[in-house]
Amino acid sequence: MIPYLFATVMLLIGLYAIVARRNLIKIVIGVAITEYAINLFLILLGYRTKGVPPILGKGMDLKEFASSSVDPLPQALTVTSIVIGLGVMALLVALVLRLYEKYGTLDESEMKRLKG
Amino acid sequence: MDQILPLLVAIPLGAAFLIPILVRVWRRFPDILGNLSTLALLVMSLLLVGREPSTYYMGGWRPPLGINLVADGLSVLLLIVISSIAFCATLFSIPYMEKYTSKSRYYSLFMLMVAGMNGVVLTGDMFNLYVFLEIASIASYALVAFGTEAEELEASFKYMIMGCVASTFVLFGVGILYGRTGTLNMAHLARIVDRDGMSPAILFASALFLMGFGLKAGMVPFHAWLPDAHPAAPAPISAMLSGVLIKAIGMYAIARFFYVVFGMDGLTSTVFMALGLLSMVVGALLAVGQWDFKRLLAYSSISQMGYVMLGLGIGTPLGVLGALFHLLNHATFKGLLFLCSGAIEHGTGTRDMGKMGGLIRGMPLTGTTCSVGSLSISGIPPFNGFWSKLIIIVAAVQAGHYAIAAVVVLLSFLTLTYYLRLMRHSIFGDLPEALKGIREAPALMGIPLVLLAVCCLSLGLLYPVLKPLLLGPATDVLLRAGDYIDLVLGG
């Protein structure tokens, strides 16, 4: 239960950073934290205390294996989501760099070309 | 027939990676390859019309183990919307994108976006849907920033931060559903939810989905990115974003999950109607005061998507039919209007309606098609917008929601008001001194305008043909969720 709470708290910290911070880099860090919180949550879904790796070796009993191995699917999902997160992060940082070139600042409150 | 389903994703994906390589061989390759692939997609999705729903199992793995692609009525309707607007937009891009550098990267991102959207509407697997959603979204973030001016970068950053939060919530919801039910296949999940009923965890996941996909669809509490991002993009991309993207990765996902997987009940219905009404009213009120041509269109998109949401919320067969018909119609006239805005910007160099006027004298074709689009969206018969709005109003009255029907009628007048203002200030009236020398847009920009304007007129008049072929099957998918489950998992 406690790891799940930890993932939730991480998600909330990330959302707080996105909503309340003014510095673009800190907002980007907030996005990264929410992504990691979800990755942690996915890994926890497949976790099993004292579980064995989900690889079926020779001479292993299928029933015993199924009752003791961790769930490999969330791990596959997490790897995919990390790769997507990498793409998102690269584009976000590139945008922040270009914005810095245009405005000479990272303060969000000084970028007011657009109105809601 | 099911063999062409993976091609609908593979062709744009392959084109996206071939275009930046082949541009080194010949400068014209991006134009040719981009248009050929969207044309191929259009032909293939037209081939799927009127056929039995089909499925394709990736790698031969049967669900619930493997990933499957499903082309039922609803997916085919969305495929046609995507590929027809994409074809018009790529045709329009040939002359329009000349002023930007690096056309090959533009086509590459465009094709990635199309691949993502086709994947979202075809896939039968939740996590796969999330991956395709991210492909389409990331390509669209980059395309919004394509001009790399301060305004575009700012809009793209705002869009991207909000889009990332929405995607995170969708993934969170997928994780919760997997944890509760142990499946990622949508049909299998629908069967489990149907058997066990809604638990609090599944309800929480559905709320996360509504927020995530609602943001992608531009529904009102989550709409703040849309009026910045849609005008900032190059015109063909605005047409794709407003005409297709908010429907394919927003509205389609909402309809598929809430109708087919979770099942509609009174609470969801009320929430949908409230969201729809809110979007309609707020979008229309904000559109009235706009002087930027494209910004007005963006606010009007929020308002028109509210109609679709409202129709889905009413939930009667007629309401769903009206919603899907309006979705199809909105794609044609909003695509047309955004392409017109591009042609006008190409000719006059401005988007400010205060500096325009009398454009129909210098640009008769653009002026006429823009008027057709405006009349369609404000619901003037015999154009298509009138029929879908009429169906939604009749559905609201039949379901006993008289107040809602009255609001819809009133908002149609408001829509007419701001589109008449748009026409008076830009197309008709006096031609300002500075714009005396404007010329008509090039032919390649004119052809898509004419195609879409013809669609605006014919979709309304061809409704008796359209209903059994396209709209009827799509409505049946939403109203008879059991058919989808049987199709994927077998009876």
Side-chain angles (χ1 to χ4, degrees):
Chain A
M1 204 57 217
I2 290 181
Y4 281 101
L5 273 179
F6 183 63
T8 317
V9 170
M10 244 173 100
L11 180 69
L12 293 178
I13 291 174
L15 286 178
Y16 169 79
I18 293 171
V19 174
R21 294 285 107 184
R22 293 256 159 260
N23 189 309
L24 294 187
I25 294 290
K26 287 182 182 165
I27 295 176
V28 173
I29 292 174
V31 172
I33 293 175
T34 54
E35 271 167 14
Y36 293 143
I38 301 298
N39 289 343
L40 178 63
F41 172 72
L42 287 177
I43 283 292
L44 285 172
L45 283 177
Y47 179 75
R48 180 177 267 169
T49 321
K50 294 192 178 138
V52 297
I55 302 164
L56 185 63
K58 268 186 197 158
M60 281 166 91
D61 182 39
L62 204 59
K63 267 201 185 120
E64 195 191 300
F65 173 75
S67 65
S68 63
S69 84
V70 298
D71 185 353
L73 192 73
Q75 302 180 357
L77 302 190
T78 313
V79 173
T80 316
S81 120
I82 288 174
V83 174
I84 293 173
L86 177 75
V88 169
M89 205 44 60
L91 186 56
L92 263 178
V93 173
L95 276 179
V96 171
L97 279 177
R98 295 301 284 268
L99 275 170
Y100 185 74
E101 279 172 18
K102 295 280 175 200
Y103 288 96
T105 172
L106 284 172
D107 191 348
E108 184 198 43
S109 54
E110 286 181 29
M111 297 175 189
K112 285 244 161 61
R113 296 277 170 90
L114 303 167
K115 44 212 178 296
Chain B
M1 214 53 214
D2 53 354
Q3 297 303 322
I4 72 168
L5 296 187
L7 282 181
L8 284 163
V9 180
I11 287 180
L13 207 56
F17 290 99
L18 276 181
I19 284 168
I21 300 171
L22 288 181
V23 72
R24 289 164 198 275
V25 182
W26 187 31
R27 200 173 60 84
R28 286 276 152 212
F29 257 128
D31 282 335
I32 294 167
L33 204 57
N35 281 285
L36 277 184
S37 7
T38 46
L39 184 64
L41 290 178
L42 182 59
V43 170
M44 276 166 26
S45 37
L46 285 175
L47 280 178
L48 287 169
V49 175
R51 288 180 186 270
E52 285 295 301
S54 52
T55 53
Y56 175 85
Y57 305 109
M58 296 256 205
W61 291 91
R62 291 266 159 182
L65 286 180
I67 293 172
N68 57 323
L69 300 178
V70 189
D72 56 6
L74 185 62
S75 303
V76 171
L77 174 73
L78 263 294
L79 281 176
I80 294 211
V81 168
I82 295 169
S83 45
S84 50
I85 305 293
F87 177 61
C88 291
T90 40
L91 210 55
F92 190 87
S93 304
I94 298 175
Y96 184 81
M97 293 307 289
E98 284 299 331
K99 62 181 170 190
Y100 292 88
T101 52
S102 175
K103 218 172 170 185
S104 63
R105 293 207 180 87
Y106 163 80
Y107 275 113
S108 184
L109 287 167
F110 190 103
M111 287 299 144
L112 275 179
M113 189 165 84
V114 173
M117 286 191 292
N118 278 349
V120 166
V121 299
L122 279 176
T123 185
D125 182 277
M126 279 193 294
F127 188 75
N128 202 227
L129 188 142
Y130 165 76
V131 173
F132 281 128
L133 173 89
E134 282 291 77
I135 293 176
S137 305
I138 294 175
S140 73
Y141 306 145
L143 282 169
V144 167
F146 202 74
T148 62
E149 290 303 317
E151 200 177 297
E152 283 126 11
L153 292 168
E154 212 181 309
S156 172
F157 188 78
K158 190 171 170 183
Y159 175 27
M160 192 162 181
I161 293 294
M162 295 182 80
C164 281
V165 174
S167 303
T168 307
F169 278 15
V170 170
L171 184 58
F172 194 21
V174 170
I176 290 172
L177 287 175
Y178 178 73
R180 289 304 298 181
T181 62
T183 184
L184 286 170
N185 187 279
M186 274 144 65
H188 193 214
L189 178 70
R191 185 168 276 177
I192 291 173
V193 172
D194 194 36
R195 191 185 62 206
D196 300 347
M198 293 285 268
S199 64
I202 294 177
L203 201 63
F204 180 52
S206 72
L208 288 172
F209 277 177
L210 186 62
M211 193 246 132
F213 293 125
L215 193 141
K216 303 275 183 192
M219 288 290 106
V220 149
F222 324 113
H223 71 290
W225 59 273
L226 194 148
D228 290 333
H230 286 191
I237 295 305
S238 307
M240 283 299 282
L241 292 180
S242 249
V244 185
L245 191 81
I246 53 175
K247 302 182 180 70
I249 71 176
M251 215 38 103
Y252 163 82
I254 288 178
R256 176 69 85 195
F257 272 108
F258 282 87
Y259 269 89
V260 178
V261 178
F262 300 131
M264 288 292 278
D265 55 17
L267 176 69
T268 340
S269 230
T270 317
V271 171
F272 275 26
M273 282 198 279
L275 274 178
L277 272 180
L278 201 63
S279 307
M280 280 162 63
V281 175
V282 174
L285 288 178
L286 287 171
V288 171
Q290 298 301 324
W291 281 100
D292 183 332
F293 199 100
K294 285 173 95 176
R295 220 175 160 75
L296 187 147
L297 296 181
Y299 276 115
S300 133
S301 279
I302 299 177
S303 175
Q304 300 299 316
M305 289 315 277
Y307 282 83
V308 180
M309 196 69 169
L310 178 73
L312 288 177
I314 292 171
T316 57
L318 201 60
V320 175
L321 177 74
L324 294 177
F325 192 27
H326 198 64
L327 191 148
L328 174 68
N329 291 344
H330 183 251
T332 56
F333 46 64
K334 194 46 70 69
L336 170 63
L337 283 168
F338 265 117
L339 291 185
C340 281
S341 81
I344 290 174
E345 203 183 347
H346 190 80
T348 64
T350 179
R351 285 180 358 209
D352 189 348
M353 288 199 289
K355 292 179 189 152
M356 296 176 193
L359 294 181
I360 196 149
R361 264 165 256 165
M363 315 169 81
L365 185 73
T366 313
T368 316
T369 48
C370 189
S371 315
V372 170
S374 308
L375 292 176
S376 307
I377 198 168
S378 26
I380 305 291
F383 296 107
N384 55 2
F386 170 74
W387 305 104
S388 46
K389 284 185 188 180
L390 185 70
I391 295 176
I392 292 175
I393 292 169
V394 171
V397 171
Q398 273 186 358
H401 305 296
Y402 298 110
I404 291 179
V407 174
V408 177
V409 174
L410 273 178
L411 280 170
S412 294
F413 282 117
L414 197 60
T415 313
L416 182 62
T417 317
Y418 62 76
Y419 274 103
L420 280 182
R421 198 179 67 110
L422 179 140
M423 282 161 73
R424 189 164 66 89
H425 284 290
S426 56
I427 301 165
F428 301 108
D430 300 324
L431 194 63
E433 203 54 44
L435 297 177
K436 285 289 187 221
I438 52 165
R439 284 214 309 269
E440 183 55 81
L444 277 174
M445 279 158 93
I447 294 168
L449 295 182
V450 173
L451 279 178
L452 286 170
V454 169
C455 277
C456 279
L457 189 58
S458 56
L459 284 183
L461 300 176
L462 289 180
Y463 174 74
V465 186
L466 220 56
K467 180 158 186 286
L469 270 182
L470 208 56
L471 295 169
T475 315
D476 288 345
V477 169
L478 292 184
L479 295 174
R480 291 207 298 266
D483 290 1
Y484 175 78
I485 302 174
D486 291 344
L487 171 69
V488 176
L489 298 177

